[in-house]
Amino acid sequence: MFGPRDMTEHILDRHLDADFYCAAAHDGAPSQRELLDLAQRYGCALPKDFLAHATGKLGGIYIEVKESAWPRPKENEVGPFWSFLYAVFVFGMSPEIPDWMNIELAAREFKETTGHSRIPCLKVVGDADFYVFDSEAKISQWRHETDEFEPFEGSFFDLLDQEVGELRKRKDRKLAGK
């Protein structure tokens, strides 16, 4: 009768500190029906844990390291790849969500540009690869250079935990000057 519990807040509490800024859907979160209709239009399925996240107050979340802790790279600046990955977000649906985070626009653009029917779910800012759901609600990472899908073994909350944890590690590495 009841679906999975939204673990987003638990994940954030475990990894984030005062060096992070977050924004989310709050009262603008979509209904399960809106998300299921979207998935149906693209021949995809959404896992129950993603539905719990996306319909909650922290759905469509954007997490970045504050610029005071991680100054943004300047134009034409070079550095190791990881040093440009200062934020992560979950695609969402909300009246206030920016277009670049809108799950419906992302699904449409992905279909138009690649021909694949997948629903984008999570992206690391600065990385051209991102995570998607397929017709069986399985998660994979789309590799833009090869146009291939690398399966992710785990749930949506496992993925969110992994990527927020990696963001924390990059932040700590940046502050340590390594």
Side-chain angles (χ1 to χ4, degrees), residues 80-178:
F81 178 65
W82 69 266
S83 69
F84 295 90
L85 309 178
Y86 60 86
V88 63
F89 67 87
V90 177
F91 290 92
M93 186 183 285
S94 165
E96 293 85 32
I97 204 159
D99 285 350
W100 52 270
M101 284 182 62
N102 184 301
I103 194 169
E104 188 158 15
L105 295 177
R108 182 181 322 134
E109 183 179 334
F110 191 64
K111 172 78 172 162
E112 289 172 358
T113 58
T114 68
H116 299 297
S117 288
R118 308 278 172 116
I119 305 279
C121 63
L122 188 144
K123 180 167 179 27
V124 175
V125 172
D127 190 348
D129 300 340
F130 51 87
Y131 295 92
V132 297
F133 297 122
D134 66 14
S135 62
E136 297 176 6
K138 298 234 166 67
I139 302 169
S140 58
Q141 187 174 28
W142 177 67
R143 300 294 186 176
H144 78 286
E145 288 182 359
T146 60
D147 193 30
E148 294 176 340
F149 297 92
E150 183 178 307
F152 176 80
E153 299 301 326
S155 71
F156 170 74
F157 287 126
D158 292 335
L159 173 63
L160 184 61
D161 186 58
Q162 172 185 298
E163 290 300 333
V164 174
E166 289 299 316
L167 179 60
R168 171 63 187 257
K169 288 177 189 173
R170 289 191 299 274
K171 187 266 304 186
D172 290 344
R173 185 176 180 187
K174 184 77 169 176
L175 287 176
K178 297 180 180 175

